[in-house]
Amino acid sequence: MSKQAAILSVHQATKKCFEVIGQQQSVWDCTLADCLPLLSSLSSLGEQLQSCSKVHFKNTPLQGFPELEQRLRYKLIQAVETVLGKLGEKMSVLQTVRDAVSNQVATVFQQYEQHADTIGLSASIERSSLAPSVADMLEWLQDIDRFLKRKLLLQTIKPDNFSHMQALPQSWNRVSTQKGQELIQDTLMKVSFFMDSH
């Protein structure tokens, strides 16, 4: 295979990958927006459960209500399980998006590795007015893939860890920094001429 054909093959795989990222970005963004209220609800429920475990109902005016503590705890746990179910659905959507993007990124890297010797280092770092270098695009794809994987680290939510549940919105915000969201948008802007020309 000629050098030009090898570069074209990598460019086609890269273009397809960026198309998938562009298509999946709106699903990702909408799903992320849907997660924050659920995480806030979990945080609130965690705080209520923790308060319930600290209060001694026998020492309050509520002592006249039989099994109030158990009933209240049961209702709160049911609410936690409901919210966790909804959050699980959202995480499943995020996982699907992440998998679609990761599979495309893996295909691009596989395509590049297959043709790396033919393309050579100098052609890999060569830029033009219409296309970033192959090396730049590979780096951007890796950054996007890493960002999407990092976001899913919060899938380990345990309903019995009240302080962890209370800190979920803050943890989520730390992971979903504006910088990460801008990474995808900026990358798609950087490759827009490349996408239109190939």
Side-chain angles (χ1 to χ4, degrees), residues 78-92:
Q78 291 294 320
V80 166
E81 289 175 2
T82 300
V83 173
L84 281 175
K86 291 177 184 176
L87 192 58
E89 292 169 10
K90 300 299 178 190
M91 288 295 178
S92 179

Side-chain angles (χ1 to χ4, degrees), residues 3 7 112 116-128 132-136:
K3 179 186 275 193
I7 291 173
Y112 176 73
D117 291 336
T118 306
I119 294 171
L121 181 61
S122 62
S124 295
I125 60 174
E126 188 177 304
R127 296 181 178 111
S128 73
S133 72
V134 170
D136 284 341

Side-chain angles (χ1 to χ4, degrees), residues 7-41:
I7 291 173
L8 181 62
S9 176
V10 172
H11 276 184
Q12 287 172 340
T14 306
K15 180 181 179 186
K16 184 175 182 188
C17 186
F18 282 120
E19 287 171 353
V20 168
I21 291 170
Q23 293 163 357
Q24 296 293 330
Q25 182 186 13
S26 62
V27 175
W28 180 264
D29 290 343
C30 289
T31 306
L32 286 181
D34 292 345
C35 286
L36 197 55
L38 294 171
L39 291 168
S40 293
S41 293

Side-chain angles (χ1 to χ4, degrees), residues 145-158:
D145 192 40
R146 221 177 285 123
F147 168 72
L148 296 179
K149 286 178 180 174
R150 185 174 165 223
K151 189 62 171 180
L152 294 177
L153 291 177
L154 290 177
Q155 285 184 310
T156 58
I157 300 168
K158 294 184 173 65

Side-chain angles (χ1 to χ4, degrees), residues 135-149:
D136 284 341
M137 290 190 286
L138 292 175
E139 180 182 1
W140 297 334
L141 289 175
Q142 215 170 24
D143 290 344
I144 289 171
D145 192 40
R146 221 177 285 123
F147 168 72
L148 296 179
K149 286 178 180 174

